[in-house]
């Protein structure tokens, strides 16, 4: 057999061009610097040849012929002419037909100035129209959902929006209707385009048919200042931030091959509205009296100068350290900050104050050693054609939208084998090869059987609630692809059970990884999917107990950092739960909240309230006065995304830059500047004058980032992945055995939804109303067992509390399990979750 071709030689406009086998002519020409005009073609979707604008002269050896370059694959010796007279005439004709019914309303069209139809009409179209008859008219605009409007008169039927909805998002809710000259794009009757990704159709629409409601009539492209940046979500989506008159008006996705491919979720795309909220903090606040100078006797938060606020916070810290030692100061949060902000606060806490009671996670993530100590995968590795992905995480469609799109494409198009190891169905379930939906708390047993080969049926013929035959089939499928990589998407699938169960399952998979590596086969790598924006950067910068910047432990890196900082803590501190427990007991004199809201977000709301009551002084740095910041004694106004320079670390350890394009409101400052100012009041001079100075120090003292200069990060198209880590993964101690569920109870699964009562969502007017009401979901089989009817209002009772809520049927919820959304605006799952139990059981009864 001959070797497969690796290069195909073609000629484009008289120039030799090397193309990849199977590559479309339009893509090969573009790589060679020859642009072929088009409307329907998109490199991230299948070609359909709808618009015919890309017709060019192609000679495959049988003579030149006009063919759509988006539908013809390159072949050896092919000759392409994109400038022939026949090509020019064909393109001119296509444009004339497209403009017959297209309204010439460019001055008022939101796409004006960035419209491919405008540009290509000028470059390739007729100079004037021969059409004098009445154009087609439709009602305009019509909402396809609350975020996107459709003007059917402008639509050129390119099929981009419908293909995106079907092929990319998996939400085929917008499609072609009618026939002939009445063909139009629309949604189904009484069924809006209720997709988490609908804003992408606006960005890829080549005309002004689809427009984003939050941006309509706000600016023209030539009015916008723009920078390329990294959105502060766990994926680190690459975006273009566009602003006018010192206000952010739009985010657009950037086609980053390693990360988001140009896609964004609607939540991230339209969250810019929150930055312009009238409720943004613009000046420091302290407890004082409305009249006169702030003092300790006042009960209200009143505006103060930066000097007064920093002085009050520094006095409280100095007094706490003098009276009860540095461990009486604790820091919670920081995951929304840039790497530079996080480093500055870590240095302040651990190098100046001397406390290791620091945690960027609010007890809803995974232990730092599991995240940093397990072998790390990249998104591209997870999506490698022919590989296997084990989903041991929450639903990526709800929590990691662009990762969901990448995984969906890999499974649907690239032969990736998906094995769900989750307590309920996810947005990827329809594409999963194996759905191992286990009972809450029993993931480790299923993982051990999956990779250990011991799939003998336990009692009732199952393993952790999963049929043993299904586990055996999945194990055999992994073995069949032993020469392909296995990637575990690792996260916290339910907040109603201990994280130890997830870590124990990861430990079982990690042991299997060692066996594979010893046999010379591709091992298992882990892609951590934690909830908060820059939580990976927070762990890298030491905002976790027992860690120092550079992915080193206190024990291993203490002497090195002590030389740079002057001192470091001698013993590991407490995590978020331990910090709040100590505060509730009166052992925390100063509690610093960095964009954290324990009252609204910590799983144990009772403990959070007791902690804020028991803390001596609360210092908050935030964008808004959230419920916890309202209880603070000192509040610093912080700069948000697009208002500060810095870097971001995504879930795979990829470091990319964030850019400033607008000024922060009022006197708000970047968090690194707040930390440096507070350090100065405590007698330490960090010497930071800009975010770049902070990064210079990080690149000198953090082992995993040593020598990584900003110029190298910016020069790389997709940033730089930091891989070094000296943290070793310590498997958890054996967890408390999971008690059997009785015949009348259901086991709770609580997970986040895309839209909730999160701060940014609730302060963005276009998003605030999208959070769905909370409902309890049961498997249809369980309704007769517990004696309730679908759609009824029921009373749900757990050992922690009770709640009245509607109940619905959901086949994606396994038998014996009840699913409830976390952080809904109308009902709080924390009322049901028992923080003292390893799992939470519910009783459901009629009201």
């Amino acid at each position: 057999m001959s070797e497969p071709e690796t290069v195909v030689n073609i000629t484009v406009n008289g120039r030799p061009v090397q193309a990849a086998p199977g590559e479309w002519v339009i893509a090969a020409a573009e790589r060679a610097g020859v642009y072929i005009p088009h409307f329907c073609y998109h490199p991230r979707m299948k070609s359909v040849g709808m618009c015919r604008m890309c017709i060019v002269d192609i000679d495959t050896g049988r003579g030149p012929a006009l063919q759509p370059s988006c539908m013809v694959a390159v072949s050896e010796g092919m000759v392409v002419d994109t400038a022939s007279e026949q090509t020019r005439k064909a393109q001119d004709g296509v444009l004339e037909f497209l403009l017959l019914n297209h309204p010439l309303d460019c001055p008022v069209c939101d796409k004006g100035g960035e419209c491919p139809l405008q540009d290509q009409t000028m470059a390739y179209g007729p100079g004037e129209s021969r059409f004098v008859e009445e154009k087609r008219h439709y009602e305009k605009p019509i909402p396809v959902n609350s975020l996107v409007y459709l003007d059917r008169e402008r639509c050129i039927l390119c099929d981009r929006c419908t293909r995106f909805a079907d092929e990319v998002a998996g939400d085929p809710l917008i499609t072609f209707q009618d026939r002939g000259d009445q063909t139009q794009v629309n949604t189904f009757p009484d069924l809006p385009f209720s997709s988490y990704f609908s804003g992408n159709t606006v960005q890829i629409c080549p005309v002004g048919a689809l427009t984003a409601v939050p941006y309509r009539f706000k600016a023209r492209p030539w009015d916008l200042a723009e920078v390329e940046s990294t959105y502060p979500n766990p994926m680190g989506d690459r975006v273009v931030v566009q602003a006018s008159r010192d206000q952010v008006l739009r985010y657009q996705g950037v086609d980053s091959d390693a990360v988001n491919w140009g896609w964004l979720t609607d939540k991230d795309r339209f969250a810019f509205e929150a930055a312009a909220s009238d409720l943004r903090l613009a000046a420091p606040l302290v407890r004082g009296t409305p009249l006169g100078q702030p003092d300790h006797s006042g009960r209200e938060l009143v505006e103060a100068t930066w000097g007064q606020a920093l002085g009050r916070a520094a006095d409280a810290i100095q007094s706490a350290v003098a009276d009860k030692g540095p461990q009486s100061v604790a820091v919670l949060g920081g995951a929304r900050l840039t790497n530079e902000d996080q480093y500055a606060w870590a240095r302040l806490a651990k190098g100046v104050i001397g406390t290791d009671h620091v945690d960027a996670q609010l007890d809803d993530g995974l232990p730092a050693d599991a995240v940093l100590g397990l072998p790390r995968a990249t998104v591209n590795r997870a999506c490698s054609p022919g590989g296997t992905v084990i989903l041991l995480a929450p639903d990526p469609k709800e929590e990691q939208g662009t990762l969901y799109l990448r995984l969906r494409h890999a499974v649907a198009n690239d032969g990736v084998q998906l094995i769900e190891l989750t307590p309920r169905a996810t947005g990827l379930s329809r594409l999963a090869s194996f759905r191992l939906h286990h009972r809450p708390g029993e993931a480790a047993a299923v993982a051990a059987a999956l990779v250990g080969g011991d799939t003998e049926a336990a009692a009732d013929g199952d393993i952790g609630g999963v049929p043993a035959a299904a586990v055996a089939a999945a194990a055999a499928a992994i073995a069949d692809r032993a020469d392909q990589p296995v990637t575990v998407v690792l996260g916290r699938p339910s907040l109603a059970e201990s994280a130890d169960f997830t870590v124990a399952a990861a430990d079982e998979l990690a042991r299997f990884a060692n066996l594979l590596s010893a046999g010379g086969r591709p091992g298992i790598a882990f892609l951590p999917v934690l909830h908060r924006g820059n939580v990976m950067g927070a762990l890298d910068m030491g905002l976790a107990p027992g860690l120092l910047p550079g992915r080193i432990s206190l024990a291993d890196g203490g002497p090195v950092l002590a030389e740079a900082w002057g001192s470091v803590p001698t013993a590991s501190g407490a995590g978020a739960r331990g910090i709040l427990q100590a505060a509730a007991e009166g052992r925390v004199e100063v509690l610093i909240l960095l964009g954290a809201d324990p009252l609204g977000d910590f799983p144990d709301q009772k403990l959070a309230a007791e902690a804020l009551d028991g803390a001596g002084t609360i210092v908050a740095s935030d964008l808004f006065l959230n419920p916890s910041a309202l209880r603070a004694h000192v509040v610093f106004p912080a700069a948000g995304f697009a208002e500060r320079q810095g870097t971001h670390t995504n879930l795979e350890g990829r470091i990319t830059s964030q850019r400033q394009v607008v000024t922060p409101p009022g006197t708000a400052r970047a968090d690194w500047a707040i930390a440096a100012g507070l350090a100065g009041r405590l007698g330490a001079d960090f010497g930071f004058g800009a975010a770049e100075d902070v990064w210079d120090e990080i690149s000198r003292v953090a082992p995993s980032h040593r020598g990584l200069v900003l110029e190298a990060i910016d020069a790389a198209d997709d940033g730089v992945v930091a891989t070094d880590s000296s943290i070793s993964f310590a498997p958890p101690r054996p967890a408390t055995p999971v008690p059997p569920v009785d015949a009348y109870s259901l086991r709770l699964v609580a997970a986040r939804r895309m839209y909730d009562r999160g701060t940014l969502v609730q302060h963005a007017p276009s998003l605030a109303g999208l959070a769905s009401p909370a409902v309890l979901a049961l498997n249809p089989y369980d309704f007769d067992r517990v004696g309730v009817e679908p759609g009824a209002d029921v009373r749900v009772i757990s050992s922690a509390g009770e709640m009245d809520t509607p109940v619905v049927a959901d086949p994606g919820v396994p038998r014996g399990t009840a699913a409830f959304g976390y952080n809904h605006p109308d009902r709080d799952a924390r009322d049901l979750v028992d923080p003292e139990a390893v799992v939470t059981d519910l009783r459901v009864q009629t009201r």
Side-chain angles (χ1 to χ4, degrees), residues 245-260:
R245 299 175 297 279
D246 205 32
Q247 180 179 336
V248 175
L249 296 181
R250 186 166 64 171
Y251 297 152
Q252 298 277 64
V254 172
D255 194 349
S256 170
D257 187 69
V259 189
N260 57 312

Side-chain angles (χ1 to χ4, degrees), residues 506-584:
D507 179 41
E508 296 291 348
L509 298 173
R511 293 180 189 175
F512 181 62
N514 294 332
L515 292 175
L516 289 178
S517 299
R521 294 178 292 175
I524 291 180
F526 294 78
L527 188 65
V529 288
L530 303 184
H531 170 65
R532 304 180 191 280
N534 190 20
V535 65
M536 296 303 172
L539 299 181
D540 283 357
M541 295 300 109
L543 285 185
L547 288 184
L548 291 171
R551 303 176 187 170
I552 53 175
S553 66
L554 273 175
D556 295 335
V560 176
L561 263 295
E563 183 177 345
W565 286 359
S567 65
V568 294
T570 57
S572 294
R577 181 169 291 277
I579 288 172
L580 293 180
Q581 187 67 51

